[in-house]
Amino acid sequence: MTLRPIVTVPDPVLRRKARPVTRFDSDLQTLVDDMIETMRAAPGVGLAAPQVGVSERVIVVEYPEDDEDEDAPKKLFVVVNPEIRQRSQEKEIAVEACLSIPGLQGEVERDLAITVRGQTRRGQPIKIKAKGWLARIFQHEIDHLDGVLYTDRALRVWQPTEPVEDNV
Ligand code: ZN
């Protein structure tokens, strides 16, 4: 596994619509392994392939499934070609930050619960039900695949005085 440099704004790859993955070959496996290592080293709780300069529809997320249980173990999700299929009516505003936009954070309204469909790194279909922070991370990462940054959606953006946790 190799740490890859994280691309930051205004790199145009962050604004491109990423290509669907069609080949689940060794290059994809290497990309996924490198993304996991890069996310953990950042540290971050999610990473999308365009953030390491690869315009393909791959995301990795590592976060507890139930964020109301403080002792819940982190779970690693790798989703290829992710799509949001169902969204809750209920929304929530919270503060986000992005590894590709250093030195800023902002308040973003997101759907409270979503269902994500996609494929595993081996091409098998998967479905993930996410709520709360986990749902927020998935929405943030899937936005990256469409060239959308949280600052596009933010109600307000500012420079934090303390380091930001849970970067995505
Ligand atoms: Zn981000």
Side-chain angles (χ1 to χ4, degrees):
M1 292 200 272
T2 314
L3 275 182
R4 300 199 188 193
I6 293 177
V7 168
T8 55
V9 286
D11 193 303
V13 73
L14 293 169
R15 290 305 193 177
R16 214 171 287 156
K17 193 170 166 73
R19 293 181 299 275
V21 170
T22 54
R23 291 160 66 169
F24 294 80
D25 56 10
S26 61
D27 285 351
L28 177 68
Q29 306 312 317
T30 302
L31 172 65
V32 168
D33 287 338
D34 290 355
M35 285 175 63
I36 293 167
E37 192 181 359
T38 303
M39 169 181 68
R40 287 174 175 167
V45 294
L47 196 69
Q51 293 182 278
V52 291
V54 177
S55 193
E56 294 182 13
R57 304 188 79 80
V58 181
I59 62 170
V60 296
V61 172
E62 193 165 45
Y63 203 76
E65 264 188 300
D66 180 0
D67 67 359
E68 283 161 25
D69 175 4
E70 281 183 19
D71 299 323
K74 282 184 174 181
K75 187 170 174 186
L76 177 66
F77 301 89
V78 175
V79 192
V80 177
N81 299 324
E83 284 176 33
I84 297 172
R85 288 295 181 84
Q86 281 167 308
R87 298 172 181 274
S88 59
Q89 297 287 312
E90 210 177 335
K91 298 187 187 300
E92 188 173 60
I93 294 170
V95 177
E96 292 183 21
C98 180
L99 293 167
S100 295
I101 312 175
L104 288 181
Q105 62 184 29
E107 276 181 340
V108 187
E109 184 180 82
R110 301 279 190 187
D111 299 317
L112 189 61
I114 56 169
T115 301
V116 177
R117 280 180 185 271
Q119 288 160 285
T120 67
R121 60 192 293 173
R122 304 289 171 189
Q124 301 301 313
I126 45 166
K127 181 169 109 175
I128 299 158
K129 289 188 175 204
K131 62 179 169 59
W133 256 95
L134 184 61
R136 175 172 297 272
I137 298 165
F138 273 109
Q139 289 169 81
H140 180 115
E141 300 312 334
I142 293 170
D143 270 352
H144 272 302
L145 304 181
D146 292 323
V148 175
L149 301 173
Y150 84 88
T151 44
D152 301 341
R153 299 187 185 277
L155 306 170
R156 63 194 183 96
V157 174
W158 65 92
Q159 291 182 317
T161 50
E162 299 196 358
V164 176
E165 288 177 42
D166 290 348
N167 272 292
V168 281

